[in-house]
Amino acid sequence: MAEKEGAKVGAEEMEEREQEGEAEEVEVKFRLFDGSDIGPVRCNAATTTVAALKDRVVADWPKDKQIIPKTASDVKLISGGKILENDKNVAQCRAPFGDLPSSAITMHVVVQPSSAKSKPDFRSILYPQRCM
């Protein structure tokens, strides 16, 4: 119970800082599928969006990897077990974790190329005569 109260206080404190216009600098590290990292990158939690972080990941992506995202839409960022939405800022995505340092965040990166996102047309596979 005390942990939940501490988390509430942390969230309320962050909201107050945002409303007062305090710029909270955070350090974000991106963990790739093979365990390697990009970063750390310093950013303002209140003004940096998830979309901007995705652009940064694509720009800083190591060239020696077999899987390389072509655009930011090929990248999914996961933090705290949740897929982050592009229009959210970093402060909105963070979950207060009690005693952990408030300035360090590790986000996991999943690459899903655009071609993998489109679903195959199973009708053409199952019924090739009907689709012609």
Side-chain angles (χ1 to χ4, degrees):
M1 187 72 170
E3 290 176 13
K4 288 184 180 180
E5 289 174 10
K8 279 185 183 177
V9 171
E12 290 170 1
E13 188 177 310
M14 267 193 339
E15 284 180 29
E16 286 175 16
R17 285 184 187 173
E18 286 177 28
Q19 291 171 356
E20 293 170 4
E22 268 187 51
E24 183 183 4
E25 286 284 314
V26 293
E27 200 170 87
V28 181
K29 186 169 54 170
F30 304 100
R31 179 71 37 95
L32 305 182
F33 58 90
D34 63 355
S36 62
D37 293 334
I38 296 176
V41 174
R42 293 201 63 78
C43 65
N44 182 318
T47 60
T48 305
T49 63
V50 171
L53 290 177
K54 286 181 176 185
D55 289 335
R56 181 71 185 257
V57 166
V58 171
D60 293 350
W61 194 267
K63 304 300 179 211
D64 62 339
K65 302 289 182 204
Q66 289 181 338
I67 299 172
I68 300 175
K70 294 180 181 136
T71 65
S73 63
D74 293 345
V75 174
K76 301 276 186 231
L77 293 180
I78 301 170
S79 181
K82 295 181 181 177
I83 297 175
L84 306 181
E85 298 174 26
N86 287 343
D87 59 340
K88 303 277 185 185
N89 63 37
V90 175
Q92 292 171 321
C93 297
R94 294 180 59 198
F97 287 112
D99 295 336
L100 293 177
S102 62
S103 63
I105 302 172
T106 299
M107 295 185 181
H108 295 268
V109 180
V110 176
V111 178
Q112 183 180 14
S114 300
S115 61
K117 290 179 188 174
S118 62
K119 294 180 181 177
D121 184 11
F122 289 109
R123 291 178 292 164
S124 63
I125 296 169
L126 297 173
Y127 310 106
Q129 303 86 351
R130 294 183 187 176
C131 294
M132 292 183 184

